Amino acid sequence: MQITTIDPQQRSYGQDALVTDATRLLFISGQIPEDNDGHVPDDFEGQCRLAWRNVLSVLEAADMTVRNLAKVTVFLSDRRYREANAQIRHEVLGDHGPALTIIITGIYDEAWLLEIEAVAAA
């Protein structure tokens, strides 16, 4: 299986993600910034890192890594989190650039400042 992008960007995303020879697709529901005990960090950076840890946990359970991500959608509660979101996403994904959409919207729980959903292939 291979994921390639025709137009990679500088900050861990691409305009597209071409998946070839995949035999499994994993659709990851929106991962929230809440740990197993129901704790939600107070700050955006803590919430963003926790939501990404939750995505990574789902990937790991499917025997996948960030390299398997083909599409990521991030729902932000406010535009002011764009830069922090990009920085943390880049830390998590490194040089891997899945297709990416960021939506500014109301979030299901007002305590959550973001939610991350994804599609992975293997």
Side-chain angles (χ1 to χ4, degrees):
M1 189 279 311
Q2 184 175 358
I3 299 175
T4 56
T5 184
I6 297 167
D7 184 19
Q9 302 298 303
Q10 294 180 340
R11 301 236 8 205
S12 63
Y13 74 93
Q15 295 295 324
D16 55 79
L18 177 63
V19 178
T20 53
D21 300 321
T23 58
R24 298 185 301 139
L25 289 177
L26 176 65
F27 294 86
I28 302 173
S29 295
Q31 297 300 297
I32 59 173
E34 190 173 296
D35 66 18
N36 290 335
D37 297 324
H39 176 258
V40 176
D42 293 329
D43 64 309
F44 180 80
E45 288 79 7
Q47 286 197 23
C48 190
R49 291 179 195 290
L50 180 54
W52 273 110
R53 274 196 302 274
N54 292 340
V55 169
L56 296 176
S57 178
V58 175
L59 287 168
E60 184 179 335
D63 197 27
M64 295 183 185
T65 71
V66 295
R67 307 295 300 174
N68 295 97
L69 289 172
K71 174 69 169 96
V72 173
T73 303
V74 179
F75 300 91
L76 296 177
S77 65
D78 195 293
R79 281 181 175 78
R80 69 180 173 212
Y81 301 127
R82 290 182 311 178
E83 196 56 40
N85 173 64
Q87 179 182 350
I88 293 167
R89 182 187 70 245
H90 187 64
E91 289 172 16
V92 172
L93 298 182
D95 67 348
H96 182 61
L100 174 71
T101 301
I102 299 172
I103 300 170
I104 310 300
T105 188
I107 306 290
Y108 181 78
D109 186 317
E110 291 182 4
W112 305 337
L113 302 176
L114 80 159
E115 188 171 340
I116 304 170
E117 70 176 22
V119 177

